[in-house]
Amino acid sequence: MNFDELFGNFPALTITGLEQGAIYALVALGYTLVYGVLRLINFAHSEVFMVGTFTALWTWEALGYNQNSPAPAFGPLLVALVAGIAVAMLASAATAVTVELVAYRPLRRRNAPPLAFLITAIGASFVLSESFGIGTARAPFGMPDLIPSKTVFTVFGAGVTNIQLLILGVTLVMMIGLDQFVNRSRLGRGIRAVAQDADTAALMGVNKNRVIVLVFVLGGLMAGVAALLWNVRYGYTKFNVGFLIGLKAFAAAVLGGIGNLRGALLGGLLLGVVENYAAGLFGGDWKDFTGFVLLIVLLMFRPTGLLGESLGRARA
């Protein structure tokens, strides 16, 4: 155990952990939304994120950017980012809705048992992943360097970069927007009503299928934002890029209290920070291991997660 590494780089490890955790949190929102309404673990959500990374890349290539392109000026950069995030969000949302309509809705019509949904979710995940694997020859793809990393200011000697500020800022904006939408809008009340009691909500005039589609759209939009931030920060994508991110995002959702939007944010940030602390203390090989150990230990003492409030009981 290297305590010198941990305490000597504590501020830097914290900042980087929050940055990573923000991406986990955005993906985790999709898991927690679907589970809150359907009590379904949508394992295909990791591939919804993966689709977003590729469509953002293809959008930038269509605009003339590649790995060798110089960093654009502010105006073209803004156009590239807005176009990339818009296309990634739309593509991820469309993928999520397609999975719902093709894979899950027929099972609901037949009152299939929960195990059938679980197997179908895993199957849909593999279908999407392998489709992109075949289409891309399983090769990794690099991203254009649109935003060169620059230190904006320091916190206790640790530099905070423009990319880190972008990731944290966008995540907070998206989280606040989604939270307000679910808790204060008419459509959000419909989501909470179906999450609490779908039959009673139907008697009150709420269209359950429309609410379910809306939930998948919202989860896909969040995954699309996470995909663009991943591209900007890590600079590559691959057909299976969503696998580990999806597992960690699911762990973050459970950690914070699956079905709880604010819990997904808290769980993602906490998971990212703890992983980084473990990397500093034990070495990089322990990073992924430690996050899941944390999840297991927490659930032993608090099975409902840190916040534990279901989506249906969220208050306006």
Side-chain angles (χ1 to χ4, degrees), residues 230-250:
W230 169 275
N231 287 359
V232 170
R233 172 61 180 86
Y234 295 100
Y236 83 96
T237 188
K238 196 178 180 182
F239 76 99
N240 60 355
V241 70
F243 177 74
L244 187 57
I245 298 298
L247 286 179
K248 291 184 178 182
F250 173 63

Side-chain angles (χ1 to χ4, degrees), residues 65 122 205 208 218 224 300:
Y65 297 103
I122 296 172
K208 179 181 176 180
L218 292 174
M300 289 173 60

Side-chain angles (χ1 to χ4, degrees), residues 6-170:
L6 174 61
F7 294 116
N9 296 290
F10 192 82
L13 292 172
T14 302
I15 294 168
T16 306
L18 291 173
E19 169 195 27
Q20 294 173 347
I23 295 177
Y24 298 160
L26 283 172
V27 182
L29 290 170
Y31 287 104
T32 210
L33 279 167
V34 172
Y35 181 85
V37 171
L38 289 176
R39 295 297 185 268
L40 165 69
I41 305 300
N42 179 23
F43 284 113
H45 190 62
S46 56
E47 274 55 60
V48 171
F49 165 82
M50 178 269 295
V51 169
T53 64
F54 273 102
T55 51
L57 170 61
W58 295 336
T59 301
W60 291 336
E61 289 179 343
L63 293 174
Y65 297 103
N66 56 50
Q67 287 181 274
N68 300 318
S69 299
F74 178 77
L77 170 63
L78 187 61
V79 171
L81 290 178
V82 171
I85 201 169
V87 173
M89 291 173 72
L90 289 173
S92 292
T95 303
V97 171
T98 301
V99 171
E100 144 62 11
L101 296 177
V102 174
Y104 300 143
R105 183 168 294 188
L107 295 179
R108 290 203 310 277
R109 287 174 178 167
R110 293 171 174 79
N111 294 317
L115 182 60
F117 284 91
L118 178 63
I119 295 172
T120 301
I122 296 172
S125 174
F126 275 100
V127 166
L128 287 170
S129 177
E130 289 302 311
S131 296
F132 273 75
I134 294 171
T136 62
R138 302 180 181 273
F141 290 81
M143 301 290 165
D145 188 16
L146 296 178
I147 307 177
S149 180
K150 297 179 181 178
T151 299
V152 179
F153 58 87
T154 60
V155 178
F156 299 109
V160 180
T161 69
N162 52 349
I163 294 177
Q164 290 170 334
L165 289 176
L166 174 68
I167 292 173
L168 292 173
V170 170

Side-chain angles (χ1 to χ4, degrees), residues 249-270:
F250 173 63
V254 176
L255 191 63
I258 193 164
N260 187 304
L261 297 179
R262 297 170 189 177
L265 177 64
L266 177 61
L269 296 177
L270 179 61

